[in-house]
Amino acid sequence: MSDQPLKDTLYDMTVASVERTSLPDREVMLVRIAALAAVDAPPASYLMNLAVAKDLGLTLEDVQGVLVAIAPVTGGPKVVAATGAILKAIGYAISVMEEEAEAAEA
């Protein structure tokens, strides 16, 4: 049994979505990132999706490209909010990795 059932469930849902669509994996994740920005998703949502996107080879430049592409439709404030949420998610991920590395060294 996992000690993070919610995280695992959301990750599994994301993977299932990628596996069940007719779009190539890369395009699915680009669309998901655009949708997250459009709905003002919190950092945790980006964290979950960016983990899968990274596994599929997407880069931060790809994410930036999505935000630039959707800016005329969603508006500047949504893109700026999405950027902030993404930065918070990345910061959290880095913090967790650093803590894990320190624990492994101890």
Side-chain angles (χ1 to χ4, degrees):
M1 188 87 182
S2 171
D3 61 339
Q4 299 178 332
L6 179 58
K7 177 182 171 264
D8 293 343
T9 299
L10 293 172
Y11 183 86
D12 291 345
M13 288 170 45
T14 300
V15 170
S17 171
V18 169
E19 291 173 348
R20 292 184 177 130
T21 183
S22 61
L23 293 173
D25 296 350
R26 175 181 168 78
E27 282 73 14
V28 169
M29 293 315 300
L30 292 172
V31 169
R32 290 177 67 93
I33 292 165
L36 290 172
V39 300
D40 293 322
S45 293
Y46 285 100
L47 187 61
M48 295 300 303
N49 284 277
L50 291 174
V52 175
K54 181 179 178 262
D55 291 346
L56 294 173
L58 267 72
T59 65
L60 288 177
E61 289 79 17
D62 295 325
V63 174
Q64 181 179 357
V66 167
L67 296 177
V68 169
I70 68 168
V73 176
T74 62
K78 287 220 185 225
V79 171
V80 171
T83 301
I86 290 167
L87 291 175
K88 285 180 185 177
I90 291 170
Y92 175 77
I94 290 170
S95 176
V96 168
M97 290 186 328
E98 288 173 347
E99 288 177 15
E100 288 175 354
E102 289 173 7
E105 290 176 3

